[in-house]
Amino acid sequence: MIVLTDSDIVFKLAGCDLLNTFFEVINIPSKDILITSNAKSAIPKQAKKKICDESVCDDINNFVANVSVTPVVDYNLLAQLQSFEGMDGGESYLMLVAYQVQDSYMATGDKRCLNSLIANNHLPPVNDVYESLKERVICLESAFLILIEHVGFEIVHNKVMNRRLGKMNDIVLQMAFSKQSDIVRAKEYLNHYSKDVQELLTPIDRLIV
């Protein structure tokens, strides 16, 4: 099971025609992908506004239609987490879902909440959430590292080079998958941009079936 904590990772994987491929690679079916009920309606609207590519938006709409809705969280604990800087409402809510669903992973394209989790990992109740989520997080960079290992660099590179992200832009994808990139350079950039949250990330070999 996996909790998607923001739309960014969905949009960027879909814009590179790698959304369904990624979840196939890590062997997680649609029913085991969790998003909020609000996101079910918000993500298609955001995609239409930001990406403006009918085919990509259709992929995103189909994806969202088949995933599951998150369970209710402990709102007292949520209020405590949100008192820490960087723990915004939506991200911390979904992080708490992943904390409560013990066998789940958490996927995010936004590292702000992760950085706050690490910075405050010595303070309760953040410390318990931090310890629980160690090696259970997938960020955008680690998702692409997983894809490189399973699908192959050439295929991933070609899809990123032909990405359809509309108004969205991603400096990591630009740097890691430029025309001059090879597998070594791509991995170096992806690892570099994710190093600050490395202690939370799931080891890649654990996710490749």
Side-chain angles (χ1 to χ4, degrees):
M1 191 165 285
I2 189 166
V3 181
L4 297 181
T5 65
D6 72 347
S7 59
D8 192 65
I9 194 167
V10 173
F11 291 162
K12 290 175 181 176
L13 285 170
C16 296
D17 190 27
L18 288 167
L19 180 61
N20 293 323
T21 302
F22 174 70
F23 289 102
E24 289 169 4
V25 165
I26 63 174
N27 197 31
I28 295 182
S30 296
K31 67 181 180 63
D32 290 335
I33 302 169
L34 303 178
I35 63 175
T36 65
S37 57
N38 287 340
K40 277 249 184 187
S41 58
I43 286 178
K45 294 176 184 176
Q46 292 171 1
K48 186 176 181 180
K49 183 178 180 180
K50 292 182 178 181
I51 298 178
C52 309
D53 184 288
E54 186 174 351
S55 177
V56 175
C57 288
D58 285 345
D59 287 344
I60 292 171
N61 292 345
N62 291 333
F63 172 80
V64 169
N66 289 292
V67 300
S68 300
V69 174
T70 56
V72 175
V73 301
D74 181 337
Y75 281 95
N76 289 327
L77 181 54
L78 178 63
Q80 294 178 60
L81 288 179
Q82 290 178 348
S83 67
F84 290 87
E85 184 177 357
M87 297 275 190
D88 66 61
E91 187 89 359
S92 57
Y93 181 94
L94 288 157
M95 185 169 65
L96 194 51
V97 172
Y99 167 69
Q100 292 181 177
V101 182
Q102 288 294 312
D103 293 331
S104 67
Y105 295 103
M106 168 181 161
T108 181
D110 183 358
K111 300 191 195 71
R112 180 179 50 179
C113 200
L114 299 182
N115 286 324
S116 179
L117 185 66
I118 293 169
N120 297 291
N121 66 18
H122 59 295
L123 300 172
V126 175
N127 55 340
D128 288 338
V129 178
Y130 167 82
E131 289 298 330
S132 174
L133 291 182
K134 281 168 68 175
E135 298 193 348
R136 290 172 55 200
V137 175
I138 302 168
C139 65
L140 181 68
E141 292 84 358
S142 61
F144 275 90
L145 285 166
I146 291 165
L147 286 163
I148 288 173
E149 290 298 322
H150 188 88
V151 180
F153 172 75
E154 295 298 332
I155 292 174
V156 176
H157 182 256
N158 182 62
K159 285 183 175 291
V160 177
M161 287 293 296
N162 292 286
R163 61 190 179 276
R164 295 165 292 164
L165 287 171
K167 300 175 183 178
M168 299 185 71
N169 192 20
D170 190 277
I171 186 65
V172 176
L173 295 181
Q174 285 183 341
M175 298 296 290
F177 297 100
S178 68
K179 289 182 179 180
Q180 295 77 29
S181 289
D182 55 19
I183 188 170
V184 174
R185 174 173 171 168
K187 286 185 174 182
E188 283 179 351
Y189 274 106
L190 293 169
N191 282 310
H192 172 75
Y193 281 103
S194 59
K195 66 180 181 181
D196 290 346
V197 297
Q198 187 63 48
E199 62 206 78
L200 294 171
L201 299 182
T202 307
I204 291 174
D205 57 359
R206 188 184 300 172
L207 288 163
I208 298 178
V209 180

